[in-house]
Amino acid sequence: MEFCDECGSMMKAEDDLWVCGSCGNKQPKDPDASFVVTEGQEETEIVDVSDAQDRGLPTTEVVCPNCENDRAHWYMQQIRSADESETRFFICTECEHRWREDDN
């Protein structure tokens, strides 16, 4: 997500540009950034969680649904609109299975 340098409004992605819906300002997208687009949602940056332990992610006691290990690294990410709470993601310390808190 980008914000306009001219008026501070949220910009929308159009091809290789960020376009401000309020003032019409256009900025080129950063070619080094990675994004995921899902239907009905805004673009979000991909969180690189490879080598979670080396990146200093905190751990907690939670049971992995894949291997039943009782420890996992975790991080929070805003994936819905700003008025919704963040989602907590887990990475098993044993098998590196990934899941989010609301998965059942």
Side-chain angles (χ1 to χ4, degrees), residues 5-104:
D5 292 337
E6 300 295 321
C7 70
S9 296
M10 187 169 56
M11 301 182 85
K12 296 182 181 180
E14 290 184 10
D15 298 318
D16 293 334
L17 296 173
W18 289 107
V19 179
C20 178
S22 296
C23 72
N25 181 34
K26 296 180 181 181
Q27 295 174 206
K29 287 185 181 178
D30 180 1
D32 296 329
S34 358
F35 294 91
V36 174
V37 178
T38 56
E39 190 173 317
Q41 293 184 354
E42 295 290 323
E43 293 182 357
T44 59
E45 283 194 51
I46 296 173
V47 175
D48 181 11
V49 292
S50 57
D51 303 322
Q53 187 173 5
D54 295 338
R55 293 183 165 274
L57 291 178
T59 59
T60 189
E61 288 186 25
V62 63
V63 177
C64 173
N66 190 48
C67 72
E68 298 187 12
N69 179 37
D70 65 350
R71 303 273 319 150
H73 297 287
W74 64 274
Y75 64 94
M76 303 285 282
Q77 185 175 3
Q78 185 76 36
I79 60 171
R80 296 179 187 92
S81 60
D83 63 339
E84 298 286 334
S85 61
E86 292 180 304
T87 301
R88 185 162 51 165
F89 290 88
F90 298 99
I91 307 160
C92 178
T93 58
E94 191 68 31
C95 71
E96 295 187 8
H97 175 71
R98 298 170 189 213
W99 73 100
R100 61 186 191 188
E101 193 165 41
D102 59 350
D103 286 348
N104 289 330

